[in-house]
Amino acid sequence: MGAKEKKGGDASPSQSVSSSGPYGEKCKYDQSFRGPIKNRSCTDIICCVLFLAFLAGYIVVGLLAWLYGDPRQVIYPRNSTGSYCGIGENSNKPFVLYFNMINCITSLNIMAAAMNGLQCPTPQVCVSSCPTNFSVVLPTDYIPNKNPSEIWDQEWCQPSINLTTTHLTVSQILNQQLCPQFAIPSTAIFNRCFPSLNASQNYAERKISNETRDNLISGSKQIIRALNAKDIGLKIFEDFARTWYWIVIILVIAMVVSLLFLLLLRFTAGYLVWILIIGVLAIIAYGIYHCTMEYRNYEAKGASIHDVGFTVNLSVYGSVKETWLAVLIILCVVEGILLLTILFLRNRIRIAIALIKEASRAIGYMMSALLYPLVTFILLLICVAYWAMTALYLATSGSPLYRLVPINESTPGCSGISANESCNPLTFNASSYSPCPVSCIFYKYKDEGLFQRNIFNLQVYNVFGFLWCINFVLALGQCVLAGAFASYYWAFNKPQDIPACAVTSSFIRTLRYHTGSLAFGALILTIVQVIRIMLEYLDHKLKDLENPVARCILCCLKCCFWCLEKFLKFLNRNAYIMIAIYGKNFCTSAKNAFMLLMRNVVRVVVLDKITDLMLFFGTLLVVGGVGVLSFFLFTGRIPIEAFQINSLQLNYYWLPILTVVVGAYLIAQGFFGVYNMCVDTLFLCFLEDLERNDGSLEKPYYMSKSLMKILNKKNKKPKADVHK
C-alpha cells in the first residue's frame, strides 16, 4: 500500500480540518496516506461495552422466555385436564371435541376465546377423529343397569372415568359432565371439531330444535371467522406447492438481470442518464401540449369556472378552461426549471455519470462485494427469527389456571360456589360439589410473579433489541463495503494495487476496531425509530379524538421524526464511510463527512438524484419485468405445456405473483444497495482527492482519467514514469 500509515489513523487529512470557515477548511495533503488505514485503535469503547452488555441481557431475556414460555399453547389445543392434543400421551388424538358447543357460542366472546386457544365453559376431550353421525343419549339409556360402555366410546369421555369399570349411572355421568349428552357431525378445523355446516338436513331427522340448530351453525361460522378459515390456508399451501420451482426460477432470472444491469452501467450509464433526462423533459413537454389543446378546446366552448361555481365534485373542474390553464403554467415552470438546471449543472451531471461508471468498474474488480448482501441477509434473518421466537415464548409464558364454572347457575345449591375458586382438573371431583353440577375449566394463563408481571416490559426490551440489532447489521454492511471500495479508489495503479481480499479485510477490521462506533450510530437511529413507533401507537389510540389541535400536533411530530430518521440514515451512512477509511470515532467521522458534503452540496444533490434515478429505473426494470413474466405464466397466458410441465391450476394466482414481485424487489435492493454504497464511497473519496491533491508529482490525483478529463485536470509525469 506504500508508506506506512500512522498509528490510530493519524494519517487522516480530516484531522487537520479547522473550524475557521462555516464548514471547515479543505482537507490537507498527507504523504503517508494510501487508502483505508490499517494501524488503527478501537473507537467508542463505552458504547461497545454497552452494546455487548445489552446483547447479554437480550440473551438472558430469550433464555427466560424459553424457560417460562410454551409455544405449544398456540399450536396445539388442550383438553379439560390441560393436556395437549396431538403430542405426548395424546399423540394419536390430535382433535378436540367439545361436549356442548352451544356453551362456547353463547357464554364467551368469540375473539377472546380464540386468543385463549378457544377454551370455553364446557368439557373438552382429545379424540382421534371428529364425530361423523348424530348420537344422543335417549331416555331408555337411563336404566340403572345400563352399561355406560354401550352408550359412549371411551375416547369421547374425560380421562378420569373408565366406562368399563365405573359404578356411576348414566344420569350421574351426565350430571358430572364426564361424557357428552349428544354428538353432532363435525369437521376438524384447526384441530377442533366444529359442527358441519352442510348437515342441516340431518338436524330435523334427530329432532334438534331450530333454535339449537341455528345457534350451532351461526356460532360455528363466527368461530371459524375468528380463527380464519383453514380452507384458505390449505389452498394457499397448494398454490405454493405447485409453483415453488417456478418462483425460484423467476427469482434467479431477477438476480441475473440485476447483475447484468450493474455491469452494463459501466458502458451505458451516460446514454441511459441522458435518455432518462430527455424522457422526463419530453413527458412534461407532452403535458404542456395536451394542456394547451384542452385549454383551447374549453375556451372555444366557453366553459369557465364562473359557470360551475364551488362544488365538492372535483371531476367537474376538469371541464373548465381555468383548470387546464393552471396546470399548463405549472408544467411550463417545471420544464423551465429543469432546462435551466440541466444547462448550468451539465458538468456536474457528467461527473456523476463518470462516478457511476467508475462504480461499475469497481464492482467488476470486486465481484465478491455482490455476495456480501447474502451475509447481511443471514444476519437479518437471525435477528428476525430470534425476535419472533422470543416474542412468542414471552407471549405464552405462564402455566394454565383453572376455575370452577357451574354448568347451570340456576340450579339450587350453586349460589355458594365462588366464581373465582381455582381447581385442578387432574384431581377434580364433581361429585363433591353435589347437588350443583360444576366443571373445572381453563380461564387464563398465570400472570402473577415477578417474571409474569414484567412481560410487557420484556416485550418492549425485545422490540428495542430487535431494532438495535437490525440497525447494527445494516451499519456493519455499509462500513464493510465502504472500506472495500475505498481501497479500490486509493489504489494508484488499478488493478495491480487493489487488495486481493478487500471485502474480507474490511469485515475483520470493522468488527475488531469499530463495533462501538457502529453500535453508537445504530443506537441513535433506534431511539428515533422507537419514538416514531410510540407516536404511531398514540395516533392509533387517539384516532377518534375530536380535538383538532392535538391531532395537528401529533401529525407534526410524526412528520418531524420521519424527517429526522431520514437525515440520520443519510448522516450515518457517510459517517460509516469515514470510519472505514480513517478509523475515527462516530462523532468525529460524522462531523467530517457532514462538513465535506456541505462544502460540495451541489455535487451531492446532483449525484444523489442521478443515482436514485438510475437505481429506480433498474428496480423498475427488474421488478416490472419479472412481475409481467410471472403474471403471464401463473395466469396461463404462457403455454407451459411446451416445456412438458403440467398446467398450473391455481386457486389464487396473485399469491405467487406477489411473492415473485416482493422477492425480486429484495434481490434488486440487495444488488443495488451494494452499487449505491460504492457510488457514495467513491464520491467521498473523490471529494477528498480534489481537496488535498493537485496533480503534481508529490500530490497526484487518484481519480480515473475520465474524471480528470471532465475537470480538465491531469497528473504530471516524470520522464521515467509510465503511469497509466
Side-chain angles (χ1 to χ4, degrees):
M1 289 290 293
K4 184 178 180 180
E5 295 86 344
K6 294 182 181 180
K7 185 176 181 180
D10 293 336
S12 168
S14 301
Q15 186 71 14
S16 60
V17 175
S18 67
S19 59
S20 57
Y23 300 113
E25 294 182 352
K26 292 184 177 180
C27 302
K28 295 182 179 180
Y29 172 72
D30 189 336
Q31 62 179 357
S32 62
F33 179 73
R34 295 293 186 275
I37 296 170
K38 294 182 179 178
N39 297 324
R40 55 180 73 193
S41 58
C42 296
T43 56
D44 295 304
I45 299 176
I46 295 178
C47 196
C48 178
V49 173
L50 178 64
F51 182 61
L52 294 178
F54 184 89
L55 287 182
Y58 200 13
I59 294 173
V60 171
V61 170
L63 291 175
L64 289 175
W66 181 76
L67 289 174
Y68 287 95
D70 189 0
R72 294 179 302 176
Q73 299 172 10
V74 179
I75 302 172
Y76 301 101
R78 289 178 182 264
N79 63 9
S80 296
T81 64
S83 301
Y84 292 107
C85 299
I87 57 175
E89 61 182 7
N90 296 318
S91 58
N92 60 338
K93 300 177 181 179
F95 309 111
V96 164
L97 174 65
Y98 299 94
F99 280 15
N100 191 347
M101 179 60 72
I102 297 178
N103 289 349
C104 300
I105 299 166
T106 59
S107 301
L108 287 180
N109 176 274
I110 295 298
M111 290 304 298
M115 292 300 294
N116 283 326
L118 199 58
Q119 305 287 342
C120 54
T122 185
Q124 48 214 41
V125 294
C126 300
V127 295
S128 57
S129 62
C130 296
T132 57
N133 299 308
F134 279 102
S135 176
V136 181
V137 178
L138 301 175
T140 56
D141 295 325
Y142 283 80
I143 301 174
N145 295 329
K146 187 78 171 182
N147 192 338
S149 62
E150 299 176 9
I151 303 174
W152 292 288
D153 189 339
Q154 176 64 53
E155 74 169 11
W156 288 13
C157 299
Q158 296 197 41
S160 60
I161 183 174
N162 189 328
L163 295 179
T164 59
T165 61
T166 184
H167 299 290
L168 298 176
T169 64
V170 173
S171 178
Q172 291 173 330
I173 292 175
L174 291 176
N175 288 336
Q176 298 178 26
Q177 289 197 331
L178 298 176
C179 294
Q181 185 175 7
F182 60 88
I184 302 174
S186 304
T187 302
I189 301 178
F190 288 99
N191 287 12
R192 293 165 175 86
C193 296
F194 292 122
S196 299
L197 305 183
N198 56 355
S200 58
Q201 69 277 7
N202 294 326
Y203 288 95
E205 297 175 7
R206 291 292 174 172
K207 298 181 179 181
I208 301 296
S209 67
N210 291 335
E211 182 181 359
T212 302
R213 179 198 63 190
D214 294 340
N215 283 338
L216 288 172
I217 294 177
S218 62
S220 298
K221 288 181 178 179
Q222 292 181 50
I223 296 172
I224 292 171
R225 281 197 299 269
L227 293 172
N228 204 349
K230 185 179 180 182
D231 185 52
I232 295 178
L234 290 176
K235 289 181 179 179
I236 293 173
F237 179 78
E238 290 174 358
D239 288 345
F240 280 114
R242 292 172 182 168
T243 59
W244 69 269
Y245 46 90
W246 283 107
I247 292 175
V248 172
I249 292 173
I250 296 176
L251 291 181
V252 171
I253 294 174
M255 182 179 65
V256 173
V257 172
S258 300
L259 179 59
L260 290 177
F261 181 80
L262 293 183
L263 297 179
L264 288 175
L265 282 179
R266 179 174 178 179
F267 308 101
T268 62
Y271 303 105
L272 190 57
V273 168
W274 288 112
I275 288 173
L276 292 174
I277 292 175
I278 294 173
V280 172
L281 293 175
I283 291 173
I284 298 176
Y286 174 77
I288 294 173
Y289 168 78
H290 182 76
C291 291
T292 303
M293 293 296 101
E294 291 292 332
Y295 174 75
R296 290 179 178 177
N297 180 34
Y298 287 111
E299 186 180 32
K301 293 180 180 180
S304 175
I305 196 171
H306 300 291
D307 303 327
V308 176
F310 177 78
T311 176
V312 295
N313 187 5
L314 300 181
S315 61
V316 174
Y317 292 107
S319 303
V320 295
K321 63 179 182 179
E322 286 82 2
T323 301
W324 294 102
L325 179 62
V327 177
L328 174 63
I329 294 173
I330 294 173
L331 290 179
C332 288
V333 172
V334 172
E335 185 85 345
I337 293 174
L338 286 178
L339 286 173
L340 291 175
T341 302
I342 294 170
L343 179 64
F344 288 104
L345 299 180
R346 62 186 183 279
N347 198 48
R348 288 183 172 86
I349 293 175
R350 293 173 61 198
I351 294 175
I353 293 173
L355 282 171
I356 290 173
K357 290 181 178 179
E358 191 69 14
S360 298
R361 189 177 294 110
I363 291 176
Y365 287 126
M366 296 182 178
M367 295 298 292
S368 59
L370 294 175
L371 298 177
Y372 189 83
L374 183 61
V375 177
T376 301
F377 174 77
I378 293 174
L379 293 176
L380 291 177
L381 190 63
I382 293 174
C383 293
V384 172
Y386 186 82
W387 164 78
M389 293 303 296
T390 302
L392 177 62
Y393 274 86
L394 285 175
T396 57
S397 298
S399 56
L401 299 178
Y402 299 83
R403 66 180 178 184
L404 294 176
V405 176
I407 298 173
N408 188 354
E409 295 183 357
S410 62
T411 303
C414 290
S415 58
I417 297 178
S418 173
N420 296 323
E421 186 176 350
S422 61
C423 58
N424 186 344
L426 296 177
T427 60
F428 174 71
N429 186 2
S431 60
S432 60
Y433 294 91
S434 180
C436 179
V438 295
S439 297
C440 185
I441 301 298
F442 163 86
Y443 75 102
K444 69 174 184 177
Y445 292 102
K446 183 179 180 181
D447 56 2
E448 300 175 354
L450 179 62
F451 180 80
Q452 284 75 19
R453 287 197 302 268
N454 289 277
I455 292 296
F456 177 77
N457 297 331
L458 294 176
Q459 288 285 22
V460 172
Y461 190 97
N462 185 31
V463 172
F464 191 89
F466 169 70
L467 292 175
W468 197 358
C469 291
I470 288 291
N471 290 323
F472 177 82
V473 170
L474 295 176
L476 176 64
Q478 292 173 353
C479 196
V480 169
L481 292 175
F485 292 126
S487 65
Y488 164 83
Y489 185 93
W490 296 111
F492 190 76
N493 295 310
K494 302 178 180 64
Q496 294 87 347
D497 294 343
I498 300 176
C501 301
V503 177
T504 304
S505 300
S506 180
F507 180 78
I508 296 173
R509 186 168 59 241
T510 301
L511 278 182
R512 180 178 177 183
Y513 296 109
H514 306 302
T515 299
S517 297
L518 301 184
F520 187 25
L523 176 62
I524 297 174
L525 187 58
T526 299
I527 293 174
V528 174
Q529 290 173 340
V530 169
I531 295 175
R532 287 195 62 201
I533 293 175
M534 294 170 62
L535 291 175
E536 290 292 341
Y537 176 78
L538 287 176
D539 186 40
H540 176 73
K541 287 294 184 182
L542 303 177
K543 61 181 179 181
D544 297 328
L545 188 66
E546 297 181 358
N547 189 338
V549 177
R551 297 287 300 172
C552 180
I553 293 175
L554 187 60
C555 184
C556 292
L557 287 174
K558 289 170 59 178
C559 180
C560 291
F561 277 96
W562 179 83
C563 295
L564 179 60
E565 182 182 355
K566 294 297 181 183
F567 173 75
L568 286 176
K569 286 182 177 179
F570 172 78
L571 184 62
N572 286 6
R573 184 184 185 88
N574 290 282
Y576 298 146
I577 295 174
M578 302 299 280
I579 290 172
I581 299 174
Y582 302 115
K584 296 297 180 181
N585 61 48
F586 177 82
C587 292
T588 302
S589 300
K591 174 189 173 184
N592 292 339
F594 181 76
M595 294 297 185
L596 179 62
L597 293 174
M598 291 304 296
R599 292 196 296 269
N600 301 271
V601 63
V602 178
R603 285 173 174 166
V604 172
V605 173
V606 172
L607 178 71
D608 187 56
K609 296 308 173 186
I610 289 181
T611 304
D612 288 345
L613 182 64
M614 295 289 296
L615 297 184
F616 171 76
F617 178 78
T619 303
L620 188 64
L621 175 67
V622 174
V623 177
V626 300
V628 171
L629 175 62
S630 61
F631 174 79
F632 279 96
L633 177 64
F634 296 132
T635 56
R637 289 172 170 80
I638 295 180
I640 60 176
E641 290 82 358
F643 301 97
Q644 296 182 348
I645 298 176
N646 295 330
S647 178
L648 297 175
Q649 301 294 332
L650 302 179
N651 299 296
Y652 309 106
Y653 66 85
W654 52 268
L655 276 175
I657 294 176
L658 182 63
T659 304
V660 166
V661 168
V662 173
Y665 176 79
L666 295 177
I667 290 173
Q669 288 300 305
F671 280 99
F672 296 159
V674 173
Y675 187 84
N676 201 9
M677 198 68 204
C678 182
V679 173
D680 289 347
T681 303
L682 296 183
F683 180 59
L684 283 183
C685 294
F686 164 74
L687 296 179
E688 294 226 355
D689 193 8
L690 278 178
E691 289 191 354
R692 56 190 179 84
N693 295 321
D694 57 10
S696 62
L697 294 177
E698 296 80 11
K699 297 186 287 184
Y701 291 116
Y702 284 78
M703 68 185 72
S704 64
K705 290 184 177 180
S706 59
L707 282 170
M708 286 191 285
K709 184 178 180 180
I710 294 172
L711 297 172
N712 293 321
K713 299 180 182 294
K714 60 181 180 178
N715 285 333
K716 295 181 180 180
K717 300 180 182 179
K719 295 182 180 180
D721 197 356
V722 197
H723 281 312
K724 290 184 178 181

